[in-house]
Amino acid sequence: MGKTKLVINNNGSIKIDGEFEIVAADGTVYGLEGRTTLGLCRCGLSANKPFCDGSHRNGFEHESVAFNLPPMKTK
């Protein structure tokens, strides 16, 4: 199995591409019907959360700039 890729789109969704499953907090698995690419909402405006429905076009703004996280803390 190859890597799953997430792309943080400017002013929009998180695009997820590859083999994955999405699970709700209660453990229920979302039925993705074979999709290997989709968009996850990050603006909070989608009527279809956690999936993107394009509602971000009405004013959500965030420019994605990649950076390195600090090293993980160890005990």
Side-chain angles (χ1 to χ4, degrees):
M1 176 167 82
K3 287 185 180 181
T4 299
K5 182 177 179 179
L6 283 82
V7 178
I8 313 302
N9 291 313
N10 288 336
N11 304 320
S13 66
I14 298 172
K15 178 184 173 189
I16 183 169
D17 186 21
E19 272 190 53
F20 56 88
E21 75 176 358
I22 299 176
V23 182
D26 69 0
T28 304
V29 177
Y30 286 86
L32 302 177
E33 303 304 322
R35 288 174 177 81
T36 58
T37 301
L38 55 78
L40 296 175
C41 175
R42 68 182 183 111
C43 72
L45 301 173
S46 177
N48 198 29
K49 286 190 271 306
F51 307 105
C52 177
D53 69 0
S55 293
H56 58 269
R57 291 187 190 106
N58 295 326
F60 175 73
E61 293 185 20
H62 180 266
E63 186 174 333
S64 173
V65 178
F67 60 92
N68 293 328
L69 293 174
M72 290 177 55
K73 293 181 181 180
T74 58
K75 292 182 179 185

